[in-house]
């Protein structure tokens, strides 16, 4: 009887203790979150382009002489001065330059491809670069994920087996790329040894030109990036420890205890840490693309950047750099958005 | 003790060991207990007494090497008796004078063996309600998942359809006394208070319609007022569902309130088995450790007045 | 005398207690440091070393690592190539750890708008893709390895500061730091001694080693490209790897490539080992 009364009491008292903080409607929270993320991205873009402009302005000596060399006509010099706003103050010059850049006017190439608008050079090239970066990220994640699941929780005897993977952590992507290029050269040479023309072994390009328009160099570039610079090792280690923590976690045990399938919970909970690694690694991957494109002579913006830099073509170098920075910021925004769609806590804490 | 043939859970001589930097340590040492249908068995003990481990073994959820090393666990479910540890000796072998276990094989075996028992046979609610719900799934979906998992075992013609399942999930949220069940249904765990999370967890666990529920210190992380609610709620629902319960706690008051029988554990051993009525009786003889616990809770005076 | 003996025993004890990977990596790191330190004493004339009569010799007793397409000793060039990254790397690592650690500690300790604005500027630098920014700088300024080291130092300050800031923020909640504040210690002393020196020592050492390995990486990468780093005929591990374009034999480029991988791996493992050891000691 006494117990009945107690339980009756609990019914009434339960409503008193359901405190929840006053909150805005979910839609408003979402809009607020998206706006704050966009504002952050925009301020990063403004800040980093300002850094680039400041670097330009701080060039030793007269920058116009530096860019044009000795063969510039006075008109060209005046044009360039106007283009970069060199006669104005730092802030005014930046505003003029940035507003022109916003409308797509990044100037024209001077020495590398004289007369070509930078946008038309850098734009298409950047698509190749972005393609390599994304493909290599996904290649890396697919293999790392597969291997982590295959190997399961860490056990002592695997240390020896995993040695090579940990050594990959230290292999720069350009070294991996060179080794891959050499290897492919050897393989293709070997196949052709029976007859036909043997391509010179000293440089990978001729081989690829023979396999013209093939996807091979693209794939190998992506492969060397996904293996090099510790990208694969980082992803693999992180995924493995995350998988291990998750499969021993309380809520996964709770899911097991109720007799439901664990896999969907595991997959969903792995997405957020994976995306966080993507975000952290993205600038590094884009950096690696620059040099790997050069090795495989892919017509991407990394190759363009290095060729233009070799010719001291400042407008092209600046234009390509802006593309890289824009890509980092936009991709981060997209990754944040996906993260927020998967994990509602991201929106809740991002306020 | 209760009759073996009618008990839902029957644990005999359970041994659990773990490897520590200081060598092998036995955290559960030949523990036996049994639970009859609809009965609430309380396991009382301080932290580290092995009370949690002995119940985790029942669910086959012990991580860490080597884990369960001996004994027998029988789970009766829908009139059928399942021996969980009958295959265990095949996975044990001796190495340098010490008993070792083939961990990977055993893990596979025990997950396979438990697959049909989890949920309908035995299920659990844990100490930390916030961490025992999937953070990326709404509470409603998680209750629904229990129901779907339960229905999956039924023959096709008796299965509930999707709509009926979501209605039942909502009903469960009402039954655990959520104020606004519809809103809670679409909420994520981080949007709820600790007490609400634990009530949602009770809904998730009981929606499986288990024959035995293991409640592992379900009130430890909660405020005093919320604690009382959770205890009352558990008592009501257990009685309605005619489900047996293993209630683990170090709080002797909760124990006296909920349990029919109590076993007292310390250092991995059962010190005393006693009915709740006996425990309430101040004059009866008690094990010194039980006495200390009672004294600490202020249930009896220091000088036994 | 007894002090030396004690420290000797301690070193042996640490050595025995550490893992195999730490032992191996510290040997490699020690060897690279030795090479770097003796480098200024070795005189090497890359032009005089050319001897077309001994081109592409396989590794043998007289040339331990063989010779390249111009008959130059690969082993000697490998040894001399350490110079290209050794001192720049040390300087960049030291200043990155110093400035990054200081800024991170200030950010974490002060908080508020000062901390937030420093953090915002640091985040800005972190957005720049490192390689692209380096190429941009090298286009506008006359490239030199010291400039590259300075820019690498600048590019790594944000990540170091973030690591230190997190550490300081977690420490700030601890009572003994509050107790120091209550005792009236000067904030600078708390930041520099109690936080940075006592708590973040190992962490900063690890970051220093990391920046060093990055300078090694970036120096070899840029020298491989051939326009910004060390120019032929002077040796650098990067332009030795670039021999892969013209070399008939494998060893002139494969040996420096292996050297790069092994050295970076050893540096990373060494840094991790130090950090792990420090954590164990604290526990």
């Amino acid at each position: 009887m006494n117990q009945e009364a107690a339980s009756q009491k609990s019914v009434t008292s339960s409503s008193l203790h359901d405190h929840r903080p006053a909150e805005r409607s979910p839609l408003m929270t979402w809009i607020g979150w998206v706006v704050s993320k966009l504002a952050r991205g925009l301020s990063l873009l403004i800040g980093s382009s300002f850094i680039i402009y400041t670097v330009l302005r701080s060039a030793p000596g007269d920058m116009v002489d530096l860019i044009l060399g000795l063969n510039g006509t006075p008109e060209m010099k005046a044009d360039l001065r106007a283009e970069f706003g060199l006669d104005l103050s730092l802030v005014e010059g930046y505003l003029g330059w940035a507003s022109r850049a916003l409308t797509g006017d990044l100037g024209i190439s001077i020495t590398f491809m004289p007369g070509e608008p930078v946008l038309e050079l850098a734009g298409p090239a950047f698509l190749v670069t972005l393609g390599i970066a994304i493909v290599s990220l996904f290649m890396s994640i697919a293999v790392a994920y597969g291997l982590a699941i295959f190997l399961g929780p860490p056990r002592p005897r695997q240390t020896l087996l995993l040695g090579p993977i940990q050594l990959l952590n230290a292999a720069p992507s350009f070294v991996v790329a060179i080794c891959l290029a050499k290897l492919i050269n050897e393989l293709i040479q070997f196949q052709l040894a029976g007859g036909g023309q043997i391509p010179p072994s000293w440089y990978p390009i001729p081989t690829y030109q023979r396999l013209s328009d093939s996807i091979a160099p693209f794939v190998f570039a992506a492969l060397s990036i996904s293996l090099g610079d510790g990208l694969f090792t980082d992803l693999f280690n992180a995924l493995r420890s995350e998988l291990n923590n998750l499969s021993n976690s309380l809520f996964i045990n709770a899911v097991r205890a109720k007799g439901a399938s664990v896999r969907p919970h595991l997959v969903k909970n792995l997405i957020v840490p994976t995306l966080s690694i993507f975000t952290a690694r993205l600038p590094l991957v884009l950096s690696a693309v620059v040099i790997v494109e050069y090795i495989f002579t892919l017509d991407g913006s990394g190759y363009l950047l290095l060729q233009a830099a070799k010719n001291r073509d400042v407008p092209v170098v600046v234009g390509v750099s802006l593309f890289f920075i824009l890509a980092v910021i936009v991709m981060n925004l997209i990754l944040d958005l996906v993260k927020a769609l998967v994990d509602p806590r991201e929106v809740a804490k991002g306020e | 003790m209760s009759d073996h043939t009618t008990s839902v859970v029957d644990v005999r001589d359970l041994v659990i060991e773990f490897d520590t930097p200081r060598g092998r340590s036995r955290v559960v040492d030949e523990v036996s207990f049994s639970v009859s249908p609809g009965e609430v068995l309380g396991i009382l003990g301080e932290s580290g007494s092995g009370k949690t481990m002995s119940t985790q073994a029942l669910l086959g959820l012990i991580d860490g090497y080597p884990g369960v090393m001996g004994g027998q666990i029988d789970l009766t479910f829908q009139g059928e008796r399942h021996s969980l540890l009958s295959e265990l000796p095949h996975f044990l072998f001796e190495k340098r004078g010490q008993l070792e276990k083939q961990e990977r094989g055993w893990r596979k075996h025990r997950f396979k063996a438990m697959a049909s028992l989890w949920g309908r046979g035995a299920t659990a609610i844990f100490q930390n309600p916030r961490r025992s719900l999937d953070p990326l799934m709404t509470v409603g979906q998680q209750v629904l998942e229990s129901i779907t998992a339960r229905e999956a075992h039924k023959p096709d013609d008796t299965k509930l359809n999707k709509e009926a399942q979501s209605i039942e999930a909502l009903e469960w949220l009402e039954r655990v006394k959520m104020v606004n069940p519809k809103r809670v249904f679409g909420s994520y765990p981080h949007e709820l208070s600790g007490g609400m999370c634990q009530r949602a967890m009770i809904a998730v666990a009981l929606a499986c319609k288990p024959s035995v529920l293991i409640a592992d210190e379900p009130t430890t992380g909660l405020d005093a007022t919320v604690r009382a609610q959770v205890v009352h709620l558990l008592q009501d629902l257990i009685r309605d569902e005619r489900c047996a319960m293993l209630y683990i706690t170090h709080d002797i008051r909760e124990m006296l309130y909920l349990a029919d029988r109590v076993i007292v554990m310390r250092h991995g051993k059962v010190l005393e088995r006693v009915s709740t009525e006996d425990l309430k009786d101040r004059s009866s003889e008690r094990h010194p450790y039980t006495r200390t616990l009672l004294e600490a809770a202020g249930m009896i005076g220091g000088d036994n007045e | 005398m007894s002090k030396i003996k004690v420290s000797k025993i301690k070193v042996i004890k640490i050595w025995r207690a550490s893992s195999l990977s730490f032992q191996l990596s510290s040997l490699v790191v020690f060897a690279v440091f030795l090479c770097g330190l003796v480098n200024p004493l070795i005189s090497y004339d890359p032009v005089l070393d050319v001897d077309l009569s001994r081109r592409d010799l396989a590794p043998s007793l007289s040339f331990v690592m063989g010779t390249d397409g111009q008959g130059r000793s690969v082993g000697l060039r490998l040894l001399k190539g350490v110079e290209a990254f050794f001192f720049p790397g040390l300087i960049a690592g030291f200043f990155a750890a110093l400035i990054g650690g200081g800024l991170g500690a200030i950010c974490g300790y002060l908080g508020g708008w000062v901390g937030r604005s420093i953090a915002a500027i640091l985040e800005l630098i972190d957005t720049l893709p490192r390689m692209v920014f380096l190429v941009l700088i090298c286009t506008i300024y006359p490239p030199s390895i010291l400039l590259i080291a300075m820019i690498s130092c600048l590019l790594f300050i944000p990540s170091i500061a973030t690591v230190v800031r997190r550490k300081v923020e977690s420490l700030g909640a601890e009572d003994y730091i509050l107790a120091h504040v209550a005792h009236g210690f000067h904030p600078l002393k708390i930041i520099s001694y109690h936080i940075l020196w006592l708590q973040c020592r190992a962490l900063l050492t690890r970051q220093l080693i990391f920046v060093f390995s990055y300078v090694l990486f970036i120096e070899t990468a840029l020298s491989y490209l051939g326009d910004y780093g060390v120019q032929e005929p002077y040796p650098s591990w990067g332009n030795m790897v670039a021999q892969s374009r013209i070399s008939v034999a494998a060893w002139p480029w494969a040996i420096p490539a292996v050297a790069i991988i092994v050295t970076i791996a050893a540096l990373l493992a060494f840094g991790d080992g130090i950090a792990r050891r420090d954590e164990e000691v604290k526990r």
Side-chain angles (χ1 to χ4, degrees):
Chain A
M1 203 56 215
N2 191 17
Q3 285 175 6
E4 296 286 17
S7 64
Q8 281 298 314
K9 202 178 152 202
S10 80
V11 180
T12 47
S13 68
S14 68
S15 57
L16 288 173
H17 296 286
D18 276 315
H19 291 306
R20 271 180 18 138
E23 58 182 49
R24 287 183 282 161
S25 73
L27 187 68
M28 284 308 288
T29 323
W30 255 97
I31 292 174
W33 182 84
V34 170
V35 168
S36 75
K37 283 282 168 195
L38 280 177
R40 195 173 145 272
L42 200 65
S43 57
L44 278 181
L45 189 61
I46 293 172
S48 42
S49 58
F50 187 69
I51 292 181
I52 288 188
Y53 185 73
T54 319
V55 168
L56 262 177
R57 287 282 292 248
S58 67
D62 190 356
M63 200 187 70
V64 174
D65 284 342
L66 174 84
I67 294 174
L68 287 177
L70 295 172
N71 44 11
T73 61
E75 295 93 72
M76 281 169 80
K77 285 190 179 181
D79 275 357
L80 253 186
R81 286 193 166 278
E83 161 82 30
F84 288 106
L86 293 181
D87 299 322
L88 305 165
S89 73
L90 183 67
V91 177
E92 279 176 16
Y94 168 72
L95 288 177
W97 174 75
S99 56
R100 268 195 304 283
L102 266 184
T103 58
D105 177 11
L106 292 170
I108 50 169
S109 169
I110 295 162
T111 47
F112 176 52
M113 289 233 179
E116 283 284 319
V118 172
L119 187 70
E120 278 172 31
L121 280 175
F126 200 75
L127 286 181
V128 177
T129 301
L130 213 56
I132 297 175
I134 291 173
V135 168
S136 54
L137 273 174
F138 277 100
M139 256 177 170
S140 214
I141 191 87
V143 180
Y145 193 73
L147 202 61
I149 285 184
F150 174 72
L151 289 174
R155 278 191 303 281
R157 222 173 290 160
Q158 283 175 344
T159 330
L160 259 154
L161 195 114
L162 292 175
I165 294 178
Q166 303 303 333
L167 204 64
L168 262 184
N169 193 15
S173 49
F174 79 94
V175 176
V176 178
I178 293 163
C179 295
L180 272 179
K182 274 282 174 188
L183 191 74
I184 301 154
N185 250 359
E186 295 297 320
L187 286 180
I188 289 172
Q189 221 180 2
F190 176 71
Q191 278 168 2
L192 289 175
Q197 211 175 6
I198 297 171
S201 70
W202 49 271
Y203 201 60
I205 314 171
T207 324
Y208 293 131
Q209 276 173 350
R210 279 179 16 79
L211 296 165
S212 56
D213 297 326
S214 93
I215 202 163
F218 185 89
V219 171
F220 284 113
L223 186 67
S224 46
I225 291 166
S226 60
L227 289 179
D229 286 340
L231 175 64
F232 175 73
T233 317
D234 266 15
L235 268 172
F236 173 72
N237 286 344
L239 269 179
R240 193 143 184 250
S241 71
E242 199 68 40
L243 198 65
N244 197 36
N245 287 346
L246 264 181
S247 56
N248 292 338
S249 74
L250 202 54
F251 79 85
I252 288 293
N253 270 345
V255 170
R256 280 200 190 107
K258 70 183 179 186
S261 165
V262 171
R263 185 145 304 176
H265 294 266
L266 278 181
V267 170
K268 211 169 179 192
N269 277 282
L270 275 178
I271 291 177
V272 173
T274 311
L275 289 180
S276 298
I277 301 170
F278 268 30
T279 312
R281 295 297 305 213
L282 195 64
L284 289 174
V285 168
L286 284 175
S287 289
V289 176
V290 173
I291 192 159
V292 170
E293 266 177 8
Y294 181 82
I295 292 169
F296 287 98
T297 51
L298 280 161
D299 255 341
S301 53
Y303 189 57
L304 180 68
L305 180 80
L306 290 175
Q307 292 296 336
K310 199 176 259 178
N311 294 308
R312 309 214 112 202
D313 195 339
V314 175
V316 176
V317 173
V318 170
V320 174
S321 309
L322 282 180
F323 263 99
F324 270 96
I325 288 165
L326 188 69
V328 171
I329 292 169
V330 171
M331 295 257 285
N332 275 349
L333 270 177
I334 294 172
L335 289 176
D336 277 348
L337 194 71
V338 177
K339 247 196 265 182
L341 285 174
V342 177
D343 189 348
R345 287 172 298 179
E346 292 284 325
V347 180
K349 82 175 177 209
E351 277 181 271
Chain B
M1 291 300 95
S2 72
D3 187 11
H4 283 178
T5 50
T6 59
S7 55
V8 190
V9 175
D10 191 15
V11 174
R12 266 163 291 150
D13 303 328
L14 183 68
V15 175
I16 299 176
E17 294 180 332
F18 288 119
D19 278 344
T20 65
R22 269 165 273 126
R24 177 108 2 135
S25 95
R26 190 170 267 212
V27 291
V28 173
D29 193 1
E30 304 197 343
V31 164
S32 309
F33 57 83
S34 60
V35 188
S36 320
E39 185 193 33
V40 177
L41 174 70
I43 303 184
L44 189 65
E46 58 196 8
S47 49
S49 60
K51 56 189 194 312
T52 298
M53 280 306 145
S54 30
T55 49
Q56 292 274 13
L58 216 79
L59 287 168
L61 286 180
I62 291 186
D63 288 305
Y65 186 81
V68 180
M69 290 302 272
Q72 268 190 312
I73 300 178
D74 289 337
L75 205 68
T76 309
F77 157 59
Q78 288 177 349
E80 216 178 307
R81 200 178 186 79
H82 298 264
S83 277
L84 301 184
L85 301 182
S86 57
E87 297 288 312
L88 179 66
H90 300 307
F91 293 94
L92 298 177
F93 60 95
E94 198 154 320
K95 190 179 168 190
R96 293 198 205 102
Q98 198 175 29
L99 212 55
E100 301 282 347
K101 188 155 83 177
Q102 257 186 297
E103 180 54 23
R104 207 170 191 187
W106 170 244
R107 192 181 154 91
K108 227 178 202 165
H109 167 80
R110 106 182 112 102
F111 277 19
K112 211 165 143 194
M114 286 307 294
S116 63
L117 296 174
W118 275 328
R120 297 173 310 153
T123 189
I125 51 181
F126 299 107
Q127 234 182 75
N128 190 332
R130 218 173 263 289
R131 286 205 297 131
S132 42
L133 290 167
D134 186 337
L136 304 186
M137 216 183 226
T138 60
V139 172
Q141 275 176 314
Q142 299 192 45
V143 180
L144 195 59
E145 208 183 16
S146 296
I147 298 169
T148 316
R150 180 192 80 203
E151 293 297 317
H153 291 281
K154 284 189 183 170
D156 276 337
D157 48 332
T158 54
K159 260 183 198 166
L160 289 175
N161 62 13
K162 277 243 144 61
E163 213 170 309
Q165 287 182 8
S166 9
I167 291 171
E168 196 193 324
L170 199 61
E171 273 171 18
W172 272 109
L173 290 178
E174 274 166 35
R175 286 184 70 184
V176 293
K177 313 267 164 56
M178 293 288 187
V179 176
N180 190 344
K182 282 217 173 91
R183 195 181 64 185
V184 172
F185 193 92
S187 297
Y188 289 92
H190 73 273
E191 296 168 325
L192 304 180
S193 67
M196 287 170 90
C197 279
Q198 192 58 289
R199 275 184 277 158
M201 199 56 217
I202 292 173
V204 167
L206 288 177
C208 305
K209 305 249 180 214
S211 36
V212 57
L213 173 70
I214 296 165
D216 185 2
E217 302 201 32
T219 59
T220 303
L222 305 176
D223 287 346
T225 45
V226 184
R227 270 179 172 203
Q229 291 172 35
V230 169
V231 171
H232 293 314
L233 188 67
L234 260 178
Q235 193 187 33
D236 291 351
L237 290 175
I238 289 293
R239 195 185 305 142
D240 293 351
E241 291 291 312
R242 290 189 194 82
C243 159
M245 178 159 79
L246 264 166
Y247 194 84
I248 302 158
T249 189
H250 54 254
D251 186 330
I252 204 159
R253 287 168 180 280
E254 280 177 15
M255 197 55 93
L256 290 177
Y257 184 73
L258 269 176
D260 302 317
R261 285 187 303 122
V262 174
I263 64 175
V264 183
M265 280 184 75
R266 196 188 191 191
H267 299 324
K269 284 196 165 101
V270 176
L271 296 184
E272 192 169 19
R273 297 157 201 278
V274 58
S275 74
T276 317
E277 295 309 315
D278 269 3
L279 204 58
K280 279 179 183 159
D281 183 6
R282 288 171 181 226
S283 55
S284 60
E285 277 296 308
R286 290 273 75 88
H287 188 280
Y289 179 66
T290 318
R291 266 196 83 76
T292 328
L293 286 178
L294 286 167
E295 275 168 23
M299 306 293 291
I300 52 173
D303 43 313
N304 201 11
E305 41 180 21
Chain C
M1 188 61 201
S2 67
K3 208 173 182 182
I4 294 170
K5 213 171 167 186
V6 167
S7 69
K8 222 178 181 178
I9 291 169
K10 205 176 165 192
V11 165
I12 293 171
K13 252 189 185 164
I14 291 174
W15 179 260
R16 287 211 180 123
S18 44
S19 64
L20 182 69
S21 71
F22 183 75
Q23 290 174 351
L24 283 177
S25 64
S26 52
L27 279 181
V28 174
V29 171
F30 184 70
V32 171
F33 261 68
L34 209 63
C35 291
L37 288 175
V38 301
N39 234 299
L41 305 176
I42 304 167
S43 61
Y44 173 75
D45 190 331
V47 183
L48 283 183
D49 199 22
V50 174
D51 184 349
L52 295 182
S53 67
R54 54 177 204 212
R55 284 193 306 191
D56 294 321
L57 291 182
S60 65
L61 273 182
S62 45
F63 292 100
V64 181
M65 294 179 187
T67 57
D68 66 6
Q70 296 178 49
R72 298 175 299 192
S73 158
V74 174
L76 196 57
R77 285 174 73 79
L78 196 71
L79 179 62
K80 200 60 189 166
V82 174
E83 199 178 24
F85 62 80
F86 184 71
F87 287 110
L90 276 187
I91 294 166
F94 178 74
F95 281 106
L98 194 71
I99 301 170
L103 282 178
I106 291 169
C107 268
Y109 188 81
L110 290 182
W113 69 270
V114 181
R116 246 177 289 145
S117 47
I118 295 178
I121 293 171
L122 293 179
E123 195 189 349
L124 206 60
I125 298 176
D126 223 13
T127 328
L128 303 169
R130 289 176 182 149
M131 188 77 191
V132 177
F133 192 67
L134 273 164
V135 171
L136 177 75
I137 293 278
C138 288
T139 318
I140 289 166
Y141 292 90
S144 75
I145 183 65
L146 216 64
L147 177 77
I148 291 166
M150 267 168 57
I151 300 297
S152 326
C153 166
L154 175 78
L155 291 175
F156 269 91
I157 287 173
S159 58
I160 298 177
T162 315
V163 175
V164 173
R165 199 188 75 210
R166 284 214 193 102
K167 177 98 186 168
V168 173
E169 276 169 355
S170 68
L171 281 178
E174 303 230 4
D175 287 343
Y176 73 95
I177 295 288
L178 286 178
H180 289 327
V181 177
H183 289 161
F185 288 173
H186 195 274
L188 265 182
K189 198 196 165 196
I190 299 178
I191 290 179
S192 61
Y193 181 71
H194 293 283
I195 294 178
L196 278 184
W197 177 248
L198 290 183
Q199 291 294 334
C200 302
R201 210 163 25 174
L203 199 146
L204 285 176
T205 313
R206 187 187 174 193
Q207 293 292 333
L208 192 159
I209 293 169
F210 189 68
V211 176
F212 183 84
S213 75
Y214 183 78
V215 172
L216 162 59
F217 160 71
I218 204 74
E219 186 273 320
T220 47
L222 291 176
S223 299
Y224 171 81
L225 292 175
D227 300 312
Y228 314 106
V230 177
Q231 309 274 329
E232 281 277 356
Y234 291 97
S236 141
W237 291 4
N239 65 25
M240 287 171 80
V241 171
Q243 298 266 322
S244 69
R245 290 182 217 167
I246 48 169
S247 172
V248 181
W251 52 89
W253 66 270
I255 288 174
V258 170
I260 292 171
I261 295 176
V262 168
T263 310
I264 295 180
L267 284 167
L268 294 179
F270 187 64
D272 285 349
I274 286 179
R276 201 174 305 139
R277 172 129 206 101
D278 180 66
E279 266 168 34
E280 276 163 16
V281 167
K282 270 182 194 148
R283 235 183 277 136

